[in-house]
Amino acid sequence: MGPLAGVKVIEISGIGPGPFCGMLLADLGATVIAVEPPERLAAPERPHAITSRGKQSVVLNLKDPVAVEAVLRLCEDADLLIEGMRPGVMERLGLGPEVCLQRRPALVYGRMTGWGQHGPWAPRAGHDSNYTALSGALWFAGPAGEPPVAPSTVLGDVAGGALYLAVGLLAALQHARSTGQGQVVDAAIVDGAAHMLNLMLGAIQRRGGNFERGTQAFDSSHWAAQSYQCRDGGWINFAPLEPKFYAELLARLGLDGDARFVRGQNDPGLWPELRQAMAALMRSRTRAEWEARLGGSDACWAPVLAPHEAARHPHMAARQSYVERGGVLQAAPAPRFSATPLAMRDIAPVGTHTREILSTLALTPDNLENLLRSQNT
């Protein structure tokens, strides 16, 4: 069932990156118990809640001290805990890291926020693009003179948030298993998004350190490093940054005899003119016609596909990168493992495992029944 089989995770359900991280750990084989609020019971059937995939669902009202005690008992044999509240909320509930680590000294306590646990902006509300804007990551998301735009949730919530939280949790788990000492992982989207810039920062500074938008391929200002619309409305993306790939693109498009394009790889002054010329050229054929011309070349290109199209593309289909379960299209677990292959697990209705799990916690019969009655399970 994956390389994390035997790892127990308690997820205090929230929104966005925390549940995504929990899904990722469940995909990798961990047992993830999602502690969900009673209001989720209003819609117990949730076939579209993909980030709940593979988890066990327990409904608890964390304003009830008995429910808080139940969570602490769950922590006693847990390896990881995930929470995504604003700073201070878990402490007010009685579930802060000090309390949980007293119950389970080897527990790794993962905190997922946008701004982090400290700093002037830590108490503020925010969403994905706010965090990437402040971190510097949004700066490069678009050509100069156009609004910086990045795919919603991907750059901040998932990449800068959930994935960094997962790496932090697993690194701290390794330490805990070696030493018996748990710790707190402060995963802030602003930190992760900034850290992801290091590949780009090194390249920019190696070329002189000019961070102005419109002067480098990294912000999609380069004429050959962006997407163009075809005659039928489809789009194709290009990114042939190395000279040999750039030359192949020109040859495939019939532009290798145009001196402007030949000079235009490293001349930002030409890029606006070449973008306009390329846009006009791409509108002269359909996407299928351009795909046929580009063929299996190394021109560093790909069609821009909607997820349902991507699922049917021969390459993605061969890898089974997407699956459909119960009529819901979703991406398959990733990455792939040779010795511990991953299994696709189902999405459980809210509260499915409440009685089963609470019954293992040695609660008094009265407390157990009161909790069950209060959650309507």
Side-chain angles (χ1 to χ4, degrees):
M1 293 295 291
L4 293 185
V7 173
K8 181 178 177 181
V9 183
I10 308 301
E11 178 193 313
I12 307 301
S13 289
I15 60 172
F20 189 100
C21 180
M23 179 202 69
L24 173 60
L25 298 175
D27 282 347
L28 296 176
T31 297
V32 180
I33 299 174
V35 178
E36 306 197 72
E39 51 265 31
R40 297 272 178 91
L41 287 167
E45 298 299 330
R46 50 173 178 188
H48 305 288
I50 297 172
T51 57
S52 295
R53 185 170 73 193
K55 301 176 186 177
Q56 299 177 11
S57 172
V58 175
V59 171
L60 288 172
N61 180 1
L62 296 184
K63 296 179 181 178
D64 182 342
V66 179
V68 171
E69 174 61 24
V71 174
L72 291 172
R73 294 192 185 188
L74 285 173
C75 289
E76 289 174 0
D77 65 347
D79 299 292
L80 310 173
L81 181 144
I82 297 171
E83 66 92 2
M85 307 290 188
R86 289 201 206 190
V89 171
M90 290 292 283
E91 284 81 355
R92 291 196 292 274
L93 290 172
L95 290 170
E98 290 186 7
V99 177
C100 293
L101 285 165
Q102 284 178 354
R103 291 293 185 99
R104 171 70 162 162
L107 181 70
V108 175
Y109 192 106
R111 316 200 79 166
M112 182 74 260
T113 60
W115 307 116
Q117 294 298 311
H118 70 274
W121 286 36
R124 296 186 182 184
H127 279 298
D128 178 274
S129 59
N130 305 141
Y131 310 133
T132 58
L134 190 72
S135 73
L138 196 61
W139 176 254
F140 300 102
E146 297 183 17
V149 178
S152 180
T153 77
V154 174
L155 180 59
D157 286 347
V158 174
L163 299 187
Y164 273 84
L165 175 59
V167 170
L169 289 170
L170 297 179
L173 177 61
Q174 172 67 22
H175 175 264
R177 289 186 165 178
S178 299
T179 66
Q181 178 185 357
Q183 60 183 301
V184 177
V185 177
D186 175 5
I189 295 173
V190 290
D191 296 341
H195 188 263
M196 289 191 299
L197 290 176
N198 277 334
L199 181 64
M200 187 186 304
L201 293 176
I204 291 173
Q205 291 173 92
R206 187 169 62 248
R207 298 176 182 181
N210 179 9
F211 290 95
E212 182 182 353
R213 295 181 72 212
T215 62
Q216 52 216 331
F218 303 114
D219 61 7
S220 300
S221 291
H222 196 301
W223 77 267
Q226 54 189 277
S227 300
Y228 290 94
Q229 192 170 32
C230 306
R231 189 174 66 195
D232 59 349
W235 294 79
I236 292 182
N237 175 265
F238 298 95
L241 303 182
E242 295 84 355
K244 63 179 180 180
F245 301 143
Y246 184 87
E248 181 155 2
L249 175 64
L250 295 188
R252 291 280 177 160
L253 298 181
L255 297 173
D256 47 342
D258 189 320
R260 299 172 305 162
F261 283 96
V262 173
R263 296 197 319 271
Q265 182 172 23
N266 299 307
D267 185 350
L270 285 173
W271 293 349
E273 176 187 349
L274 298 183
R275 278 202 306 274
Q276 292 182 5
M278 179 64 166
L281 175 64
M282 294 301 294
R283 286 195 297 269
S284 68
R285 288 180 171 85
T286 66
R287 191 177 75 185
E289 290 172 329
W290 283 121
E291 288 182 291
R293 174 172 286 207
L294 292 162
S297 72
D298 279 340
C300 298
W301 68 279
V304 180
L305 304 177
H308 68 283
E309 294 179 293
R312 298 192 299 265
H313 187 275
H315 179 77
M316 302 296 279
R319 293 189 58 79
Q320 298 181 316
S321 299
Y322 283 93
V323 296
E324 189 169 305
R325 186 72 66 86
V328 177
L329 181 68
Q330 51 195 289
R336 315 293 173 86
F337 296 85
S338 61
T340 54
L342 307 182
M344 184 80 173
R345 294 192 277 181
D346 291 329
I347 301 167
V350 176
T352 298
H353 307 93
T354 301
R355 178 179 289 275
E356 172 190 344
I357 291 175
L358 294 184
S359 297
T360 69
L361 300 182
L363 299 168
T364 67
D366 286 346
N367 281 342
L368 175 58
E369 290 306 316
N370 287 338
L371 282 177
L372 294 173
R373 276 197 302 272
S374 67
Q375 312 315 327
N376 298 314
T377 57

